[in-house]
Amino acid sequence: FFFQAEDGIRDYKVTGVQTCALPIYRHNQRHIDRTLSVSFLPWKGMFMKIELWSLDRIRPYPNNPRINDDAVDAVAASIREFGVRQAIVVDTEGVIICGHTRFKAAQKLGLDKLPVHVAKDLTPEQIKAYRIADNKTAELADWNYDLLPIELGDLQTNGFDLSLLGFDEDEL
C-alpha cells in the first residue's frame, strides 16, 4: 500500500502491514517536490527499509559489467517527468547493487538525494549475482506488438510526449 505524505514523516498501520512515508525528491521540469513516499513492505518475513541518502554517500560498483551511458538521458527524462519511483539498492558500504543508471541520471539532473535500500542480508556472492540478474532478467521480457501500438496511440492522442518513453523515432 503506497500513499503520499505532504507534511513530513508519518507512520500508518494498514491491514497489518507497517508503512511509512518519507519525504523524497521528485524532479520535474518546474520544481523539486519533496512529497513522494516510500513504503516498508514485507519481504522474507522482514520489512524492506528505504532511506533517503545524499548522492555523495552512494558509490558506483567499479566492476559493473552493464554499459549504461546511452540510457542515462532517457532515465533522466523519465525521472524529470515521473519522479524517482524506485530505490537504489546498495550494500552495507554504499556500493550500488542495482540502480547505476538511475544514479547517473540523478547526478545529471543535479539531485541531492535518492531513496536507497541497504541489502544487509545478502552474501557477497548474492550481491554479485543480484547485480547481474537484475539487469539480465529485464532483457528476458518482450513487447506485445498487438497491444503496444494501442497504448502508444492512446498516449499520443492525449498529447503525451512519446519521446519520454525511451523509444527512438524508428521504433515509434
Side-chain angles (χ1 to χ4, degrees), residues 140-149 151-152 165 167 171:
L140 300 176
D142 205 354
W143 293 105
N144 179 325
Y145 290 107
D146 293 330
L147 297 177
L148 180 61
E151 294 295 305
L152 292 173
L165 303 180
F167 292 98
E171 292 174 309

Side-chain angles (χ1 to χ4, degrees), residues 97-98 122-137:
I97 299 171
C98 302
L122 298 179
T123 68
E125 293 76 21
Q126 287 175 315
I127 289 171
K128 192 175 289 273
Y130 182 34
R131 188 177 283 123
I132 294 168
D134 181 64
N135 286 293
K136 184 59 181 169
T137 55

Side-chain angles (χ1 to χ4, degrees), residues 14 28-29 42 68 92 118-119 129 154:
V14 180
N28 66 28
Q29 295 168 340
N68 59 12
T92 56
V118 181
D154 287 348

Side-chain angles (χ1 to χ4, degrees), residues 8 67 84 102 146 154 158 171:
I67 300 168
V84 175
R102 286 190 305 278
D146 293 330
D154 287 348
N158 290 305
E171 292 174 309

Side-chain angles (χ1 to χ4, degrees), residues 20-82:
C20 176
L22 301 172
I24 62 173
Y25 287 108
R26 177 170 188 252
H27 188 285
N28 66 28
Q29 295 168 340
R30 295 193 178 91
H31 66 285
I32 293 181
D33 176 6
R34 296 175 185 240
T35 60
L36 289 181
S37 63
V38 294
S39 297
F40 299 163
L41 300 174
W43 180 255
K44 293 185 178 179
M46 300 170 20
F47 288 96
M48 175 187 270
K49 183 177 180 185
I50 305 293
E51 303 172 292
L52 190 60
W53 281 23
S54 63
L55 266 57
D56 61 2
R57 284 184 66 190
I58 304 168
R59 297 187 336 224
Y61 177 59
N63 293 330
N64 182 25
R66 187 73 169 182
I67 300 168
N68 59 12
D69 290 340
D70 290 343
V72 172
D73 287 341
V75 172
S78 178
I79 290 172
R80 190 178 299 113
E81 178 68 19
F82 309 115

